[in-house]
Amino acid sequence: MGIAPPADYKQLVRTHGGRLFAGVLHLLEPGCPDATYDVVARTTERAEILAELWAGGEERPPELLEGGTRLAPWGYAEGSGRFLYWLVRPGVEPEEWTVILNEGRGPLREAYPVSCSPFLHDVVAGTTTSSYSTDLDDVVDPEDRTRFAPNSQILGQSKQTTETTGGSSR
């Protein structure tokens, strides 16, 4: 990833592994056997895609005009193209990074002055101020909103296979 992620992200991955939250939000994890859910693969991919967009004329977000500032993905919303990033700034500790939600198929972004755990909690609890998550009940079955599916289940792997490949079965 090229960064040391915030402690709450490391704890989430250590405790639960990569997984699906609220029926639509994927927590990316390092070392996932499927690149779709691997934070390292997605970091490289998103950096290339964003660089192409900005080189092609899409306006660079004002938050990224400071030298050395970048976006680092940590999650995405299934089916929408929306990505969840940390706004990584020089001299700012990881626990103080802002979550940036990018609409995915356009330049619009929302910023949240929290890390990934409180952001995920607010989405699952239905207390988020995100305009992209206020309609979750229309998209996700209410039972699935509080169901957490590990990547091993999403990928159809058994616990033994997941442990052997280094993924998470939690």
Side-chain angles (χ1 to χ4, degrees):
M1 291 176 62
I3 58 167
D8 70 322
Y9 169 82
K10 291 189 274 189
Q11 183 65 38
L12 273 171
V13 171
R14 218 179 1 260
T15 304
H16 303 289
R19 62 184 44 234
L20 183 65
F21 288 87
V24 293
L25 294 178
H26 288 275
L27 176 67
L28 303 175
E29 68 178 317
C32 186
D34 184 325
T36 302
Y37 306 103
D38 183 358
V39 71
V40 176
R42 286 298 191 136
T43 298
T44 301
E45 172 199 67
R46 297 309 305 167
E48 291 170 0
I49 289 170
L50 291 171
E52 286 177 19
L53 287 171
W54 297 328
E58 184 173 301
E59 190 174 329
R60 191 179 196 96
E63 299 94 348
L64 295 175
L65 297 178
E66 178 185 344
T69 300
R70 69 183 184 108
L71 295 175
W74 60 269
Y76 79 98
E78 184 72 41
S80 70
R82 296 177 190 140
F83 267 83
L84 295 161
Y85 296 96
W86 290 296
L87 179 61
V88 180
R89 291 184 165 143
V92 176
E93 293 298 318
E95 282 64 41
E96 297 174 21
W97 291 345
T98 297
V99 167
I100 302 284
L101 186 148
N102 173 246
E103 74 175 319
R105 295 188 175 100
L108 298 179
R109 291 171 175 74
E110 293 180 343
Y112 304 92
V114 297
S115 194
C116 61
S117 294
F119 179 84
L120 288 171
H121 176 270
D122 287 348
V123 170
V124 171
T127 59
T128 182
T129 58
S130 169
S131 62
Y132 296 110
S133 299
T134 54
D135 64 349
L136 259 184
D137 289 332
D138 297 336
V139 180
V140 177
D141 184 310
E143 288 182 20
D144 286 337
R145 182 145 186 171
T146 56
R147 189 172 295 146
F148 309 106
N151 283 346
S152 58
Q153 180 182 352
I154 295 165
L155 298 173
Q157 298 174 326
S158 69
K159 181 177 180 178
Q160 181 179 15
T161 302
T162 305
E163 290 175 348
T164 304
T165 61
S168 177
S169 62
R170 294 176 224 108

